[in-house]
Amino acid sequence: MFEKSSSLCMRDPQRVQDILMSMQKSGSNTLQVISDFDMTLTRFAYEGKRCPTCHNILDNSKLISNDCKEKLKELLNTYYPIEIDSSRSIEEKLPLMVEWWTKAHDLLVEQRIRKDLLATVVRESEARLREGFQLFFNHLHEHSIPLLIFSAGIGDILEEVIRQAGVFHSNVKVFSNYMDFDESGVLKAFKGELIHIYNKREGALLNTGHFQELRTRPNVLLLGDSLGDLTMADGVQDMENILKIGFLNDKVEERKQSYLDSYDIVLVKDETLEVPNAVLLYLT
Ligand code: TMP
Ligand code: MG
C-alpha cells in the first residue's frame, strides 16, 4: 500500500497494519478524520520557498502596515525556533507559545483589518494545499466521513482557503481562532478561548458536543505536523482505534525520533497527501 513513498517511516509497521485492518473491518461509517491545518493540509514549501501559515497570509498582505509587518516578522523569528526546538519540553514552550499568539493577535487587532478584504487577501496569497487535496476532501465528502480541521491558525482565513479551493464541503467542521468584527466589519478582537499549538487538548474538551454527535465513529485518522497535534482527538468518545500520521517538515534529524515515538506513520519532507489518501482508499 505504501510502496510509492520513500519518505515514510514507521517505528512499528506491524502495529500500523493491525490498526488499519481493525479499522477496515469496522467499516467507513465508523471513521472520523481529525486534521491540523497549517503545514499539515497546507504545504510547508513549494519550489524551495516556504509557504505561508494562516497567520502569515495576513502578515504578508496589504492589510498590514510595514511597521507592523516588521514586528510580526520579529515575533516569528523569535518564537518559531522555540516551537520546533527539540531540546525544550512542551511545558517549557507552552507559556512562550501563549506569548507569541497573544502578541501576534494584539498586533493584528491594531491594524483594523476589514472583513470584506479577507477573500482578496487569500486569493492574492501563496497559500497552497498539499498535492492530492482534492481527492482527500472529495473522497471524505463522498463517503460522508466527518472531517474536523483543528487549527491554532485563524478560522476565517482557513475557511477562505478551502472555500476558494472548492473543497469546503458539508462534512467539514472547523475548530480555530475566529475573528470578531465590529458592526462596521473591522476586526476588534478574537473570539473565545485562544487555541495555540499546545492546548488542543483543552480545545477538544471544550467541544464535547461535536464529539458526542460523532460517538458512533470510534475510529480516528489523525493528521498533524506538530507534537501538539497529538491531543486533537482527546475529546473523542469511546475511541477504538486511532492511526496518527505526522508530517515532519523541518529540523528532521533532531526531531525524527520523537516523531517516530509518537506518530504511527511519519512522513519526512513529503509535500503530498498521497499516504493519507492511500489510507482512506484502503479504509473505504
Ligand atoms: P497549527 O498548525 O497547529 O494550527 O498552528 C499554527 C501555526 O501557525 C504554528 O505552526 C505557528 C504558526 N504561527 C505563525 O506562523 N504566525 C503567528 O503569528 C502565530 C501566532 C503562529
Ligand atoms: Mg500545523
Side-chain angles (χ1 to χ4, degrees):
M1 167 175 173
F2 297 136
E3 64 270 25
K4 261 171 63 194
S5 180
S6 57
S7 65
L8 185 149
C9 309
M10 293 181 269
R11 195 188 44 160
D12 188 350
Q14 184 60 48
R15 196 183 115 82
V16 170
Q17 196 175 343
D18 293 345
I19 297 173
L20 279 169
M21 281 173 65
S22 171
M23 284 168 80
Q24 198 220 22
K25 229 170 106 199
S26 301
S28 65
N29 59 350
T30 67
L31 179 66
Q32 56 175 303
V33 179
I34 304 180
S35 180
D36 171 52
F37 186 70
D38 289 311
M39 310 296 120
T40 295
L41 292 179
T42 57
R43 295 181 68 120
F44 178 75
Y46 182 67
E47 294 181 339
K49 212 175 136 221
R50 283 290 299 273
C51 294
T53 61
C54 293
H55 284 93
N56 302 153
I57 290 174
L58 266 186
D59 301 355
N60 302 336
S61 78
K62 60 187 181 195
L63 305 185
I64 307 293
S65 70
N66 285 339
D67 178 49
C68 183
K69 279 194 168 102
E70 276 306 308
K71 290 181 183 156
L72 287 161
K73 198 187 291 162
E74 250 171 62
L75 291 180
L76 185 70
N77 292 340
T78 306
Y79 292 101
Y80 177 67
I82 300 173
E83 177 191 332
I84 60 165
D85 184 351
S86 53
S87 72
R88 302 192 199 213
S89 67
I90 290 186
E91 291 71 33
E92 203 182 326
K93 292 182 192 183
L94 196 140
L96 298 165
M97 293 298 107
V98 175
E99 218 172 87
W100 182 12
W101 259 256
T102 309
K103 285 180 182 169
H105 287 187
D106 287 349
L107 283 170
L108 292 176
V109 169
E110 280 174 19
Q111 295 297 298
R112 302 185 51 78
I113 291 166
R114 275 171 49 193
K115 184 181 169 67
D116 62 342
L117 296 178
L118 294 182
T120 312
V121 156
V122 169
R123 204 166 293 118
E124 290 173 352
S125 77
E126 291 178 2
R128 264 179 192 275
L129 292 163
R130 282 184 194 268
E131 234 160 88
F133 77 87
Q134 294 96 336
L135 194 153
F136 179 80
F137 281 91
N138 294 342
H139 194 75
L140 289 174
H141 182 230
E142 280 156 23
H143 290 261
S144 304
I145 297 169
L147 166 62
L148 171 63
I149 301 180
F150 198 151
S151 169
I154 301 171
D156 310 73
I157 301 285
L158 172 177
E159 285 193 6
E160 200 50 44
V161 173
I162 56 176
R163 189 175 296 122
Q164 289 183 15
V167 292
F168 194 2
H169 301 311
S170 54
N171 62 320
V172 177
K173 166 115 189 168
V174 179
F175 293 172
S176 189
N177 299 303
Y178 277 90
M179 294 171 147
D180 198 2
F181 298 95
D182 67 17
E183 58 289 345
S184 57
V186 172
L187 178 66
K188 61 171 184 186
F190 280 82
K191 291 180 189 166
E193 295 293 321
L194 175 72
I195 302 175
H196 59 78
I197 195 158
Y198 291 124
N199 73 347
K200 291 192 174 182
R201 178 183 159 77
E202 288 73 16
L205 297 178
L206 279 175
N207 287 284
T208 45
H210 170 76
F211 294 109
Q212 174 71 16
E213 271 176 42
L214 297 188
R215 68 192 175 283
T216 58
R217 295 178 176 270
N219 291 314
V220 179
L221 174 64
L222 179 145
L223 309 179
D225 79 296
S226 143
L227 296 180
D229 295 329
L230 290 157
T231 62
M232 292 188 299
D234 284 11
V236 173
Q237 302 190 355
D238 307 320
M239 177 123 63
E240 270 170 26
N241 296 290
I242 180 163
L243 185 74
K244 300 173 191 152
I245 302 183
F247 288 92
L248 178 51
N249 301 312
D250 203 0
K251 290 269 183 287
V252 169
E253 284 321 311
E254 291 103 295
R255 298 200 293 166
K256 196 164 176 183
Q257 195 55 51
S258 60
Y259 274 61
L260 283 170
D261 290 341
S262 40
Y263 279 105
D264 302 303
I265 297 178
V266 178
L267 300 171
V268 178
K269 288 196 180 290
D270 178 345
E271 294 290 355
T272 77
L273 285 168
E274 268 172 33
V275 171
N277 284 345
V279 168
L280 286 177
L281 292 173
Y282 174 76
L283 293 179
T284 53

